[in-house]
Amino acid sequence: MELNRLDGLYRDAILDHRRSPRNHEPLSAPDIAGDAINPFCGDEIHLQLRLDDEQRISGVGLQGEGCSINLAAGSMLTEAIRGKALDEVDSLVQLIRRMMRGDDEAEAMLHAEGDLTNLAGVRDYPVRIKCALLPLSALTQGIESYKSSTGQL
Ligand code: ZN
């Protein structure tokens, strides 16, 4: 999409994460790995997580390909999930999905979670909402397969 159609504030944050993606080094031997692909626009996300003894996320690696929205959303997500327990990550994912559906209360609650609220600027472009949500799919898929492999589901 033409990023210049986005409001300036949103655009600056998205471009910043796109230019300098956070936590993009692949993690070797991760506890959790998730992948998601959107064949329609070529977006890809590959995510690795490490858990500490208290089952909190202590390491994050995310590699993406595709459009700026996808890459920026992935980068923002890596910052927000670090240090969280898996059930806290579930709550965060719900909040982000609600915000992208236009829920202002969810958006207000997400202000404590770094740059993620800048993704709200994408809501006016329904085709691109999928791009912003793809990193969440990788995260959810990874956590679900981890839980089923460890008997937590
Ligand atoms: Zn995309």
Side-chain angles (χ1 to χ4, degrees):
M1 111 186 200
E2 316 82 69
L3 272 175
N4 56 16
R5 288 172 60 197
L6 273 183
D7 181 89
L9 206 64
Y10 297 132
R11 187 182 61 221
D12 289 349
I14 287 170
L15 285 178
D16 178 55
H17 278 267
R18 197 254 177 282
R19 285 196 199 104
S20 341
R22 322 298 199 257
N23 306 300
H24 65 279
E25 295 291 334
L27 286 189
S28 57
D31 296 301
I32 294 175
D35 304 282
I37 293 174
N38 180 352
F40 297 103
C41 72
D43 286 346
E44 290 188 26
I45 291 289
H46 306 284
L47 175 71
Q48 305 87 39
L49 303 176
R50 190 164 292 136
L51 300 176
D52 65 16
D53 294 342
E54 297 175 341
Q55 296 281 99
R56 286 182 176 275
I57 294 172
S58 57
V60 184
L62 183 145
Q63 303 80 46
E65 280 185 46
C67 68
S68 298
I69 305 285
N70 177 49
L71 298 173
S75 174
M76 291 169 181
L77 188 65
T78 66
E79 294 192 309
I81 61 178
R82 186 184 284 277
K84 283 189 165 53
L86 295 185
D87 55 338
E88 294 169 337
V89 171
D90 285 342
S91 306
L92 180 74
V93 167
Q94 300 305 322
L95 275 183
I96 298 169
R97 290 190 182 282
R98 279 172 54 196
M99 176 181 78
M100 295 310 289
R101 286 197 298 265
D103 184 327
D104 292 335
E105 186 194 3
E107 184 180 344
M109 290 169 76
L110 280 169
H111 275 295
E113 305 289 352
D115 293 333
L116 281 166
T117 48
N118 292 288
L119 296 174
V122 180
R123 290 190 300 211
D124 297 335
Y125 309 94
V127 185
R128 310 315 295 265
I129 293 177
K130 278 198 171 80
C131 303
L133 293 179
L134 195 70
L136 296 184
S137 302
L139 178 62
T140 303
Q141 182 258 312
I143 290 176
E144 280 177 5
S145 50
Y146 170 78
K147 283 182 176 171
S148 66
S149 72
T150 54
Q152 297 176 49
L153 265 190

